Amino acid sequence: AAAAAAAVAAASNDEPVGAAPAPSPPGVFWLRFGQERSALDVLRELAGMLDVDISALREQQAAIVDAIARWLDTRRCLLILDDVWTLEQARPFTRLHAGRLLTTRVREVAMRVGGRTQVLDTLEPRQALRLLAACMQTDADLTTDADASELVRLSGGLPVVLEQWGAVCAALAARGHRRADRALLLQARRAARGHGDAAERDGDAVGRR
């Protein structure tokens, strides 16, 4: 299979977005989906972030969307819908008056949600290793490092994934984990192993409307 698809579709009032913030800046709400979470699960999470009381609404998804929409109508916000797998997960969020940026491994989802879609190229192995080293903030040559090569394979060559894993290694070093680069890579590789198979899909896309 080709490398993983990551698609991004953003609604009308787009704002530039970089790597996942921790925590998110004011007005930016990062919502992670994955294969297991339903739209209702994520709507409840968003309501909690916004301090919108939905305790009386229980399983009433449409009513929860309306309550969140009323809160958003008077504010300027950006919703990042991360790792959406189905149209059913994304559809309720298209009713919200907010900027939307959606990432997905499934091209059909990106196309049907709407907005502009742009294909992102994956990196060749040598390019990916150079990016990983830069994000780790190391001058080490990773071309012969088995753990680095495994991280590249698990990432599917996606720059955003390599940036995140490289940043993990850099953060560990900054917090006093003064171990060899290989040891940091090994720890990142172990953390990544649960996500690698999902990264082996087809093509990569980003888009805005």
Side-chain angles (χ1 to χ4, degrees):
V8 177
S12 53
N13 49 339
D14 299 348
E15 295 185 292
V17 178
S24 297
V28 178
F29 301 95
W30 195 286
L31 304 166
R32 300 184 186 278
F33 286 77
Q35 297 184 68
E36 303 302 324
R37 302 189 75 194
S38 68
L40 185 57
D41 293 334
V42 181
L43 285 165
R44 287 172 176 154
E45 179 185 0
L46 178 58
M49 291 177 174
L50 304 179
D51 200 23
V52 173
D53 184 7
I54 59 169
S55 57
L57 301 180
R58 299 183 182 178
E59 303 294 316
Q60 302 174 54
Q61 180 169 296
I64 293 173
V65 171
D66 289 341
I68 293 172
R70 285 192 294 272
W71 191 96
L72 291 172
D73 280 346
T74 59
R75 296 165 175 87
R76 183 174 177 83
C77 299
L78 174 66
L79 307 180
I80 301 177
L81 313 179
D82 187 24
D83 198 20
V84 176
W85 284 76
T86 68
L87 187 60
E88 289 70 26
Q89 288 175 317
R91 186 178 284 120
F93 294 86
T94 64
R95 295 178 50 198
L96 301 176
H97 183 67
R100 294 187 307 276
L101 186 145
L102 179 147
T103 71
T104 180
R105 305 170 194 270
V106 184
R107 290 193 181 197
E108 183 182 0
V109 171
M111 300 298 182
R112 295 186 64 184
V113 165
R116 296 201 306 270
T117 303
Q118 175 184 342
V119 174
L120 297 177
D121 292 330
T122 56
L123 298 177
E124 296 296 326
R126 285 187 174 273
Q127 295 174 310
L129 288 167
R130 286 197 296 269
L131 175 61
L132 182 61
C135 294
M136 289 176 62
Q137 301 176 22
T138 178
D139 295 326
D141 181 1
L142 302 181
T143 55
T144 60
D145 190 299
D147 293 312
S149 296
E150 178 67 0
L151 277 181
V152 167
R153 186 191 72 79
L154 290 170
S155 76
L158 297 177
V160 66
V161 177
L162 291 164
E163 288 168 0
Q164 290 173 349
W165 292 343
V168 168
C169 291
L172 286 171
R175 290 202 299 268
H177 294 255
R178 302 297 181 186
R179 296 179 294 169
D181 291 331
R182 183 177 178 83
L184 292 173
L185 279 168
L186 183 59
Q187 184 164 338
R189 172 179 167 182
R190 287 169 178 162
R193 185 160 292 282
H195 307 287
D197 291 340
E200 295 183 7
R201 306 255 175 215
D202 55 348
D204 202 82
V206 177
R208 283 173 207 272
R209 187 173 65 191

